[in-house]
Amino acid sequence: MRNTVSISFEQLEARLPHPDLTTVHRELDQRRARLGRKIVVLDDDPTGIQTVHGVSVYTGWSREEVLAGFREEKDLFFILTNSRAFTAPHTARVHEEIARNIAGAARETGKDFILISRGDSTLRGHYPLETETLRASLEQTGEKRFDGEIIFPFFKEGGRLTVDDVHYVRDGDMLVPAGETEFAQDKTFGYRSSDLKDWCEEKTGGRYGASGITSVSLEDLRALRVEKIVSQLTAVKDFNKIIVNAVDYCDVEVFALAFFMALEQGREFLLRTAAAVPKVLGGIPDRPLLTKADLVDPGNTRGGIILVGSHVKKTTLQLEELHHCRYPVEFIEFNQHLVLEEGGLSREVDRVVALAEEKIRAGRTVAVHTRRQRLDLDTQDKEKQLLISVEISDAVTSIIGRLTVQPSFIIAKGGITSSDVGTKALRVKKATAMGQIRPGIPVWMTGPESKFPGMPYVIFPGNVGAVETLREAVEILMG
């Protein structure tokens, strides 16, 4: 295992040339159109749309829902699995069902597809379970045979970069190896390795050794050595892994061209990526950040609600900074530790809902947040820890579900929290990704079937943004 060290982002940027991508962009558009494939993104929590706009997000994966996605005019659509909140057996069952339905939709519509498993840019999630289940299930249907798996966790907006195969998390101007961050200590999805080759070996239990994994270098990407990268891709077999280094979107674009060229040569790959790759493969253009005029109905004089469930350090710092909001926000603490008392969570939900409704009706914005001290059980049973987390998340989510007054806006902070608010509390079946209110902070437009139809819903990942980003988003909505 290679030793890794923190590096300076500015020094890294200075050493990398920025190539002229005029020809790459033109050829990328031509090959994307020529392939004509549907791009299906399975999102393990709702934050994966944090780079796109104008695309559909289905919150279920029934045969009818998947078929509807394939029949859309747009090339790209998302299926929200929320599998990061699932146990491993549940995750496997869901991905087997999704694979069958994708294969069926592809046959019925006559459309080929590219399948992306969108995971966390800090490497948490059910990996390799999800992609291995998808591979096995799709190969059993006879729909495809996969030559390799592409590992591509780059996410510029969140400061997640990969250099010399080491994945980094940006902290100010410094890039910290992912294995040295709090995310690597996750109770359910923890890991040790920052080098993605070692990480693959670690996560697969040695079935894919680091020495046999292919690496696409920054040097080749910046030098536009597309044919060399195509040769690397076409040489991969037996579902071996390909690590892609990236510091900026130009790296994704050059790789995407090589990827499309490899597909044209008959190769097939599953992708495990963060949020940046679906945007580039789908040809989604940039758009300006959303404003209050885009998001808040001027006739709604009620207060908004911010629901904070995530417990990562970044979220706690952002919550503290929200106290300095230029507009008045009232804070309500939800004590999730009451899960240890019989009926404790139910009583706490009753208390918080009554208090929040009173303030929202009076035109005051509230921030409902879980108690900042983590509740870690005295157990090494990861599944039991996850089940308790889900019970708490269900209770927190129910606060939104029980509101009888429509707030002027809703922000949910944290991946599991925001997914449960969208699917369980707001009962969204199909949403449209509107864009981002701040870099990496996506917004849904809820569908007509939802609890609050046609309402923008801000999905704020727990591990994204600077300390002031939550405050800035709230100030935009309240301004």
Side-chain angles (χ1 to χ4, degrees):
M1 185 176 297
R2 179 149 56 98
N3 290 329
T4 56
V5 295
S6 298
I7 60 176
S8 163
F9 178 75
E10 287 186 355
Q11 291 174 340
L12 175 63
E13 280 275 274
R15 89 177 203 211
L16 292 171
H18 284 267
D20 181 355
L21 296 185
T22 304
T23 302
V24 170
H25 288 157
R26 182 172 61 249
E27 193 168 351
L28 188 55
D29 290 341
Q30 291 171 351
R31 290 181 185 271
R32 183 187 296 111
R34 191 157 64 230
L35 275 170
R37 293 200 187 192
K38 185 66 68 171
I39 301 172
V40 186
V41 186
L42 307 184
D43 202 351
D44 73 352
D45 79 9
T47 63
I49 59 164
Q50 57 206 152
T51 62
V52 301
H53 58 89
V55 301
S56 297
V57 182
Y58 293 85
T59 64
W61 47 85
S62 66
R63 176 185 175 278
E64 293 74 20
E65 287 164 305
V66 176
L67 192 57
F70 267 80
R71 285 176 171 161
E72 288 186 0
E73 280 192 31
K74 291 184 180 294
D75 292 334
L76 174 70
F77 72 96
F78 282 69
I79 296 173
L80 173 60
T81 68
N82 197 35
S83 57
R84 217 180 299 170
F86 295 169
T87 63
H90 188 187
T91 298
R93 289 194 299 272
V94 163
H95 282 72
E96 287 169 357
E97 181 181 355
I98 291 172
R100 289 194 300 270
N101 290 338
I102 288 174
R107 287 193 296 269
E108 187 163 339
T109 60
K111 291 182 180 178
D112 201 352
F113 60 90
I114 295 167
L115 185 54
I116 300 174
S117 173
R118 202 295 303 190
D120 178 39
S121 61
T122 60
L123 307 179
R124 297 168 299 169
H126 287 289
Y127 180 85
L129 174 63
E130 290 175 341
T131 52
E132 289 184 346
T133 302
L134 292 168
R135 177 207 180 189
S137 300
L138 284 167
E139 290 187 348
Q140 284 170 7
T141 68
E143 192 64 32
K144 283 187 184 293
R145 296 205 66 81
F146 293 98
D147 298 291
E149 179 180 34
I150 294 164
I151 309 295
F152 204 161
F154 165 77
F155 175 42
K156 180 181 179 180
E157 293 83 352
R160 326 295 197 222
L161 317 175
T162 309
V163 182
D164 297 332
D165 300 332
V166 176
H167 195 54
Y168 291 94
V169 175
R170 187 172 181 177
D171 185 4
D173 183 48
M174 297 305 295
L175 299 174
V176 181
E180 298 173 17
T181 66
E182 62 176 316
F183 310 114
Q185 308 306 314
D186 188 282
K187 288 285 185 178
T188 305
F189 303 117
Y191 55 92
R192 299 184 308 277
S193 307
S194 301
D195 184 307
L196 290 179
K197 289 183 175 179
D198 294 331
W199 180 80
C200 287
E201 181 173 321
E202 174 188 341
K203 284 293 182 178
T204 63
R207 286 179 288 115
Y208 295 91
S211 62
I213 293 174
T214 298
S215 171
V216 177
S217 71
L218 280 172
E219 289 73 21
D220 287 341
L221 290 163
R222 294 298 171 100
L224 304 184
R225 298 185 185 116
V226 176
E227 292 292 347
K228 177 182 177 181
I229 298 167
V230 174
S231 296
Q232 287 183 287
L233 292 175
T234 56
V236 173
K237 59 183 180 179
D238 299 327
F239 205 56
N240 216 325
K241 315 306 175 193
I242 303 108
I243 305 301
V244 186
N245 290 276
V247 171
D248 209 337
Y249 270 97
C250 62
D251 305 313
V252 188
E253 291 163 341
V254 175
F255 178 80
L257 176 57
F259 171 71
F260 285 151
M261 292 169 68
L263 294 184
E264 288 180 348
Q265 294 185 29
R267 300 305 195 275
E268 292 290 347
F269 306 91
L270 266 172
L271 295 97
R272 178 72 170 190
T273 82
V277 175
K279 174 185 178 180
V280 174
L281 292 185
I284 306 295
D286 293 334
R287 69 157 294 173
L289 294 173
L290 299 166
T291 67
K292 181 179 180 178
D294 298 316
L295 299 173
V296 178
D297 179 355
N300 189 333
T301 59
R302 294 179 286 274
I305 183 168
I306 306 119
L307 191 66
V308 181
S310 169
H311 279 85
V312 299
K313 180 181 178 182
K314 179 166 285 187
T315 290
T316 299
L317 293 173
Q318 290 171 338
L319 181 62
E320 291 171 357
E321 175 66 19
L322 185 58
H323 282 83
H324 303 294
C325 182
R326 72 177 70 169
Y327 306 108
V329 175
E330 302 202 29
F331 292 81
I332 304 172
E333 182 178 81
F334 180 91
N335 185 5
Q336 74 274 17
H337 292 226
L338 293 174
V339 71
L340 301 177
E341 298 180 13
E342 186 174 353
L345 280 186
S346 178
R347 292 191 298 272
E348 183 70 345
V349 169
D350 291 342
R351 179 187 72 84
V352 171
V353 167
L355 191 54
E357 281 221 322
E358 175 189 343
K359 295 181 183 301
I360 291 169
R361 287 184 188 278
R364 299 198 291 273
T365 290
V366 297
V368 176
H369 62 90
T370 50
R371 183 175 162 185
R372 290 295 89 189
Q373 292 81 14
R374 282 185 62 100
L375 176 62
D376 291 325
L377 301 180
D378 186 19
T379 177
Q380 296 301 310
D381 186 341
K382 293 183 178 181
E383 296 284 292
K384 185 175 182 181
Q385 182 77 50
L386 182 60
L387 288 171
I388 288 291
S389 297
V390 170
E391 184 178 353
I392 292 169
S393 179
D394 285 346
V396 173
T397 299
S398 71
I399 295 167
I400 301 294
R402 287 180 50 185
L403 290 179
T404 59
V405 55
Q406 179 167 331
S408 60
F409 64 85
I410 298 175
I411 298 176
K413 188 83 168 73
I416 293 175
T417 301
S418 57
S419 177
D420 286 350
V421 166
T423 59
K424 297 177 182 179
L426 295 177
R427 302 190 296 275
V428 176
K429 298 297 183 185
K430 178 185 175 184
T432 300
M434 297 179 66
Q436 291 75 46
I437 187 171
R438 301 295 294 154
I441 314 300
V443 184
W444 279 6
M445 175 63 74
T446 61
E449 77 291 345
S450 65
K451 178 182 177 70
F452 298 133
M455 179 180 183
Y457 165 46
V458 181
I459 295 167
F460 204 126
N463 60 4
V464 169
V467 170
E468 63 273 10
T469 306
L470 176 60
R471 172 181 57 78
E472 291 171 347
V474 173
E475 288 176 347
I476 288 169
L477 292 165
M478 295 182 69

